[in-house]
C-alpha cells in the first residue's frame, strides 16, 4: 500500500470522526434528502432540490452517491446565479446541475480512492445527468473536476444514508 494511500485513509478516518451525529458515517439515519434537510450547511442545496422537483427521486430507493455542495459553495457562484437557477423557467437547467452531482450506486471514499489508484491517478464518474466528473487525489483529499474545469474538494466523506452516500464538497460542479 502506498504512503499516499495510507495518508488518505488516515485523513478519511479523521474527517469521519468529526461528522455530526445526525449524519454520522457508517450509520444510516434516513434518506439523502432528509440528511441534507438536517444539515445547517446545505439549505441552498435543499431549496434547489425542492425547486427542481427532485425530492422524491433523491428520497427514493437509489442507491446514489451525492457530491453535496455546501451553502458556502453555492455562495462562490457569480452573483445572481442561484436566484436565476431557482426560477421556474430554469427548472431544466437546475435539474441538470443538480443531477450532475449524483452518481448511481454507493461509492464510499475508500472505493473512490481505490478507483483513482487503479485508474492511474484519476477515476471517471458517470453522473445521473449523463456527464462525467473526474476524481483525483490532491494531497490527502479527493478533488472532483467538472466539465467546465472547476474543482471541488471533498471535505467530508461517507455520510451513509438508507439510499446512498453523501460526500460534502466545497464547490458547485457544473456540467457546462
Amino acid at each position: 500500500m502506498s504512503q499516499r494511500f495510507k495518508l488518505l485513509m488516515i485523513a478519511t478516518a479523521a474527517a469521519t470522526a468529526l461528522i455530526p451525529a445526525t449524519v454520522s458515517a457508517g450509520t444510516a439515519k434516513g434518506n439523502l434528502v432528509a440528511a441534507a434537510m438536517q444539515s445547517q450547511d446545505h439549505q441552498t442545496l435543499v431549496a434547489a432540490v425542492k425547486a427542481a422537483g427532485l425530492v422524491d427521486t433523491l428520497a427514493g430507493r437509489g442507491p446514489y452517491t451525492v457530491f453535496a455542495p455546501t451553502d458556502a459553495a453555492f455562495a462562490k457562484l457569480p452573483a445572481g446565479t442561484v436566484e436565476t437557477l431557482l426560477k421556474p423557467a430554469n427548472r431544466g437547467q437546475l435539474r441538470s446541475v443538480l443531477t450532475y452531482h449524483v452518481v448511481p450506486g454507493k461509492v464510499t471514499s475508500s472505493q473512490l480512492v481505490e478507483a483513482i489508484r487503479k485508474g492511474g491517478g484519476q477515476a471517471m464518474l458517470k453522473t445521473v445527468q449523463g456527464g462525467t466528473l473526474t476524481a483525483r487525489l490532491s494531497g490527502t483529499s479527493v478533488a472532483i473536476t467538472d466539465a467546465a474545469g472547476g474543482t471541488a474538494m471533498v471535505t467530508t466523506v461517507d455520510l451513509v444514508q438508507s439510499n446512498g452516500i453523501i460526500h460534502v464538497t466545497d464547490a458547485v460542479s457544473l456540467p457546462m
Side-chain angles (χ1 to χ4, degrees):
M1 186 178 311
S2 75
Q3 183 66 18
R4 187 173 187 173
F5 183 76
K6 287 179 188 175
L7 286 173
L8 183 61
M9 292 293 81
I10 292 168
T12 298
T16 301
L18 300 175
I19 297 167
T22 57
V23 286
S24 62
T27 305
K29 294 288 187 181
N31 64 54
L32 296 164
V33 175
M37 291 175 80
Q38 291 176 13
S39 169
Q40 293 183 18
D41 295 327
H42 290 91
Q43 296 310 300
T44 305
L45 178 61
V46 170
V49 167
K50 288 178 180 178
L54 292 171
V55 171
D56 289 341
T57 300
L58 293 175
R61 185 175 182 157
Y64 301 111
T65 297
V66 177
F67 293 95
T70 62
D71 294 339
F74 279 101
K76 291 179 187 178
L77 292 172
T81 301
V82 173
E83 294 77 12
T84 299
L85 285 171
L86 291 175
K87 291 180 180 178
N90 299 320
R91 188 176 194 189
Q93 186 178 9
L94 178 60
R95 286 176 72 95
S96 179
V97 170
L98 293 175
T99 57
Y100 189 61
H101 291 81
V102 182
V103 174
K106 285 186 177 182
V107 182
T108 66
S109 59
S110 60
Q111 290 169 328
L112 184 54
V113 169
E114 182 64 16
I116 292 168
R117 189 183 68 72
K118 285 183 178 178
Q122 67 180 25
M124 308 306 279
L125 306 171
K126 185 76 167 180
T127 71
V128 170
Q129 181 264 359
T132 302
L133 294 169
T134 304
R136 294 181 180 89
L137 291 178
S138 177
T140 59
S141 298
V142 172
I144 304 293
T145 303
D146 63 24
T151 300
M153 299 303 296
V154 177
T155 60
T156 304
V157 299
D158 296 336
L159 303 177
V160 177
Q161 302 306 310
S162 62
N163 65 337
I165 295 177
I166 300 170
H167 301 297
V168 178
T169 65
D170 68 353
V172 177
S173 298
L174 298 173
M176 50 234 145

